[in-house]
Amino acid sequence: MLSRVVALTAIYIGGALSTTLTGEAKAMMEDSMAWMDNFFDPKENLIFEVQSDAAMNHETLESVWYAVGLLARNGNQGQDVSHAEGIITRVIDDQYKDPADIWFGVYTKEPEEPYVGTAPYPATRYGSWDPNWYDFVGTAFVTIYEEFGPILSASTKEYMLESMVNSSIGNSRRGGDVDGDNLWPAYSNPAIMRAATTTWTGVKTGNKTMQAEGEGYAQQIIDLWDLHKTLSEFNSPTYTGISLFGLTLWGKYMPKSSILAQRGPDIFRGTFSTVAQLWHAGMRNLAGPWDRSYSFNMQTSLGHLSLLLAPIIGREESGLRQNPWIMSHARDWCWASLIAVHAEYFTSLVPQNVKKMLKEFSPHTWRGQVYYPPFDLETRNITTWLGEKLMIGAQSYHTTSSNGPDDNNEQFHPAVAQWTYNNGDIGWLDLRASVPHLLVDVSPNRLNLTYPDGDASSVFTFYASPSLLQRNVQGWSDIQGVNISISGNVDPNATVKFAGRFGGSYGPYYDYNYWYLQHTMPAGFEGTPELVIDFTY
Ligand SMILES: *[C@@H]1O[C@H](CO)[C@@H](O)[C@H](O)[C@H]1NC(C)=O
Ligand SMILES: *[C@@H]1O[C@H](CO)[C@@H](O)[C@H](O)[C@H]1NC(C)=O
Ligand SMILES: *[C@@H]1O[C@H](CO)[C@@H](O)[C@H](O)[C@H]1NC(C)=O
Ligand SMILES: *[C@@H]1O[C@H](CO)[C@@H](O)[C@H](O)[C@H]1NC(C)=O
Ligand SMILES: *[C@@H]1O[C@H](CO)[C@@H](O)[C@H](O)[C@H]1NC(C)=O
Ligand SMILES: *[C@@H]1O[C@H](CO)[C@@H](O)[C@H](O)[C@H]1NC(C)=O
């Protein structure tokens, strides 16, 4: 089989693939591959864990993304293609095969794992198995099949379809209220990908039931979008990028008659226009509020969204380092080829005025609304003000718990300010959600936060940026880059703690050390807790 593959690829080297990368898309593929090549293990046909924190165990998902890059590069005398086929086969061999398991059709997280759901290795959703792997692997397989079909052997393609059928069946058992799952149609990124992979698999295998299922999920996502022209999982340096990627597949690969093909491009354009409104070209960061983020600064932590921006505005302009593997969350650089092969298509969807806005900053305010059932009890109202050196974004929300709209307290950032100082540093402060009901008022240089259902026990807890300019912080006046003044009816003195990699009261927020500043209410307080931050610079 191997020799047949090599022979086939020889024919196609430099040949007529639909994907010919140019510009930054080509550079993203080449640079990410040059980096990932270091991790390839030809013995197992998989790549080693790229963040070097796993004693050289292998990683399924990153291996599949690497396979996309191998096929896009299609070099080394046919070896790239045979390695890609080896990875694809290896990953499908390990795919879970017992339809009785709730994780049927999902892919391993690492090949070293015991069988999920055994006594030594209990089935833990998002732990020992990850239901989103259906989509992360699936969208890569769809791309591989569509873009590189001509250089793949017939047997590999068949095996991929068989794999996608099982994956789609397993995926179809997901639902927001099923068995502790959370795949509501509002959980935009996997919902969008699931609609794409299921519809595509139904179409390719002639399974009308499966196709209809995919279109049904899509319709639910579209209905939510049509409410406010925003994704329910709103504004994330990581997940907005993944949603946009999923929408790319809707527009590019579904039959014209499909609701996905009909609506994918306009939802993509609408989402991208909002990104352009919230993107600060000078600060190279996405303004808040973020429904989900792992970081406070896209110049130090790789946000997947940057991968879509880079082909349009340039790598460093998108927040990425020229060598992104030194950044936090660098694992997402493994996506680079998978995004790069779609760059020509999705760039064509972005209107000129949106591209211009991404490149040239001018101060403005953006307002919008978002709804994430079943966790949002009311429509959320977002206001983001972007000034030259400071931007403030916040949302009024009323949710079933203080975990916020996505039921994910840790990644939820309802009120954020970021500023630039000291010739390029990014400072930030971030309200941590402690209540299910917050009202905000954002205006130039001012953030006003109130807890309508709060009381004397309410707290306003912030994380704020450390700085080399002042390593010892005793209060807001030591936070560098802007002057912050606190008013309202809170106790104006904050409790200050440090969270650090090597000590302090807490560990880092993901990879970020931070100053913890908490305001409580004065003794005997009655009324509505309110905290106002005024910024001067
Ligand atoms: C798909 O699932 C069936 C059981 O329904 C199993 O026999 C088959 O091996 C699976 N195929 C793959 C590619 O995992
Ligand atoms: C067709 O799709 C349905 C719905 O996902 C699934 O239950 C069924 O097993 C599929 N049929 C085949 C032959 O794959
Ligand atoms: C957002 O604004 C709408 C009015 O447009 C209002 O009905 C809703 O209650 C507001 N949401 C919150 C959480 O305050
Ligand atoms: C902050 O917002 C609350 C509630 O909307 C309002 O009552 C208060 O006047 C505002 N404070 C400032 C300083 O704008
Ligand atoms: C805040 O702290 C300062 C200095 O420690 C102190 O003088 C002041 O009384 C405190 N204010 C309140 C409201 O506790
Ligand atoms: C903060 O205020 C102080 C004194 O009021 C001023 O000297 C300093 O320049 C201000 N810092 C910034 C960053 O605006």
Side-chain angles (χ1 to χ4, degrees):
M1 177 179 158
L2 201 66
S3 61
R4 186 170 139 233
V5 168
V6 171
L8 258 178
T9 54
I11 298 167
Y12 279 93
I13 285 174
L17 282 177
S18 63
T19 308
T20 317
L21 301 180
T22 56
E24 175 57 23
K26 183 160 183 262
M28 281 166 62
M29 182 276 282
E30 289 174 348
D31 293 356
S32 67
M33 290 303 288
W35 170 64
M36 288 173 82
D37 283 343
N38 292 302
F39 297 90
F40 183 60
D41 176 8
K43 181 161 157 273
E44 292 299 328
N45 268 318
L46 291 167
I47 64 169
F48 298 116
E49 153 67 56
V50 296
Q51 299 203 138
S52 312
D53 60 358
M56 293 177 70
N57 276 7
H58 303 82
E59 283 225 289
T60 302
L61 184 51
E62 285 75 4
S63 297
V64 171
W65 290 330
Y66 179 64
V68 176
L70 286 168
L71 293 165
R73 187 169 64 186
N74 186 13
N76 297 317
Q77 288 81 44
Q79 252 192 28
D80 280 353
V81 176
S82 56
H83 285 159
E85 299 219 38
I87 291 170
I88 293 164
T89 307
R90 177 73 167 85
V91 166
I92 301 175
D93 285 348
D94 275 0
Q95 185 180 10
Y96 285 98
K97 304 201 186 312
D98 183 351
D101 294 334
I102 186 79
W103 55 95
F104 170 60
V106 89
Y107 304 88
T108 59
K109 293 186 83 172
E110 57 178 16
E112 286 84 359
E113 72 194 29
Y115 198 96
V116 167
T118 52
Y121 204 61
T124 315
R125 204 181 286 268
Y126 296 117
S128 59
W129 71 287
D130 192 320
N132 290 346
W133 263 224
Y134 289 124
D135 296 309
F136 285 134
V137 174
T139 49
F141 277 2
V142 169
T143 302
I144 288 172
Y145 195 100
E146 291 283 349
E147 301 292 325
F148 307 111
I151 54 173
L152 292 173
S153 68
S155 58
T156 299
K157 289 172 69 181
E158 247 167 66
Y159 202 34
M160 288 172 76
L161 281 186
E162 184 186 331
S163 169
M164 288 297 291
V165 167
N166 286 5
S167 158
S168 299
I169 291 170
N171 205 351
S172 74
R173 300 174 183 169
R174 298 193 67 186
D177 46 2
V178 178
D179 212 30
D181 199 357
N182 64 337
L183 188 53
W184 304 97
Y187 184 12
S188 307
N189 87 82
I192 288 169
M193 290 191 290
R194 176 167 80 163
T197 52
T198 305
T199 304
W200 183 88
T201 306
V203 170
K204 284 290 164 194
T205 61
N207 184 335
K208 297 259 183 268
T209 314
M210 189 175 280
Q211 183 182 348
E213 263 176 19
E215 307 235 350
Y217 303 140
Q219 189 60 57
Q220 295 181 57
I221 298 161
I222 293 165
D223 290 346
L224 279 173
W225 166 267
D226 283 340
L227 288 176
H228 304 294
K229 309 286 184 221
T230 47
L231 296 177
S232 304
E233 184 186 35
F234 177 74
N235 202 39
S236 164
T238 298
Y239 295 104
T240 301
I242 296 174
S243 291
L244 286 165
F245 159 70
L247 290 165
T248 297
L249 306 190
W250 285 30
K252 202 176 179 188
Y253 296 142
M254 304 303 144
K256 297 238 177 319
S257 59
S258 153
I259 184 82
L260 284 81
Q262 287 161 12
R263 294 302 308 277
D266 79 81
I267 301 178
F268 180 96
R269 269 191 290 271
T271 304
F272 222 91
S273 313
T274 301
V275 166
Q277 288 282 339
L278 299 177
W279 181 255
H280 195 304
M283 291 171 62
R284 298 177 177 176
N285 258 279
L286 186 69
W290 308 303
D291 277 7
R292 290 181 69 196
S293 180
Y294 301 103
S295 95
F296 308 106
N297 180 2
M298 290 174 77
Q299 292 191 44
T300 49
S301 179
L302 197 161
H304 181 281
L305 178 61
S306 294
L307 301 175
L308 284 97
L309 295 173
I312 301 174
I313 60 175
R315 188 180 302 181
E316 293 189 9
E317 288 78 0
S318 77
L320 294 174
R321 303 284 299 207
Q322 194 56 39
N323 45 357
W325 52 90
I326 72 172
M327 301 173 75
S328 171
H329 225 83
R331 172 182 287 129
D332 278 356
W333 185 234
C334 297
W335 279 85
S337 294
L338 180 50
I339 301 304
V341 302
H342 296 296
E344 188 181 339
Y345 172 78
F346 67 69
T347 302
S348 76
L349 296 178
V350 181
Q352 274 315 319
N353 64 321
V354 173
K355 287 182 186 152
K356 187 163 184 283
M357 194 156 193
L358 287 166
K359 290 179 191 163
E360 290 168 29
F361 177 75
S362 62
H364 61 275
T365 296
W366 184 84
R367 289 176 210 282
Q369 294 191 305
V370 187
Y371 185 54
Y372 193 131
F375 301 113
D376 273 333
L377 300 174
E378 290 175 53
T379 302
R380 287 183 276 146
N381 300 305
I382 321 281
T383 311
T384 300
W385 169 74
L386 299 93
E388 199 71 49
K389 292 183 162 178
L390 168 70
M391 52 188 186
I392 307 170
Q395 55 179 307
S396 295
Y397 67 85
H398 189 186
T399 48
T400 51
S401 78
S402 52
N403 292 335
D406 203 35
D407 196 26
N408 186 337
N409 190 280
E410 196 176 25
Q411 295 173 10
F412 178 45
H413 305 273
V416 184
Q418 293 156 286
W419 54 89
T420 181
Y421 71 107
N422 194 29
N423 198 20
D425 289 350
I426 301 292
W428 38 265
L429 67 77
D430 181 69
L431 174 74
R432 304 308 302 156
S434 63
V435 291
H437 196 182
L438 171 72
L439 295 180
V440 303
D441 185 9
V442 171
S443 51
N445 304 313
R446 173 173 285 179
L447 171 63
N448 177 359
L449 306 166
T450 50
Y451 294 162
D453 305 331
D455 58 30
S457 68
S458 294
V459 294
F460 291 83
T461 306
F462 298 88
Y463 293 175
S465 47
S467 171
L468 288 172
L469 299 182
Q470 168 52 288
R471 281 158 48 204
N472 300 300
V473 166
Q474 292 180 317
W476 285 109
S477 60
D478 294 322
I479 300 297
Q480 297 298 297
V482 277
N483 284 331
I484 291 167
S485 107
I486 304 285
S487 58
N489 51 28
V490 295
D491 182 334
N493 287 347
T495 302
V496 179
K497 298 178 186 175
F498 183 70
R501 293 172 65 207
F502 304 113
S505 303
Y506 310 105
Y509 177 81
Y510 292 95
D511 294 345
Y512 286 81
N513 291 355
Y514 60 88
W515 287 99
Y516 167 108
L517 293 106
Q518 186 179 66
H519 292 270
T520 54
M521 305 313 296
F525 174 80
E526 282 178 30
T528 306
E530 175 188 327
L531 184 151
V532 179
I533 305 179
D534 285 291
F535 297 87
T536 49
Y537 49 89

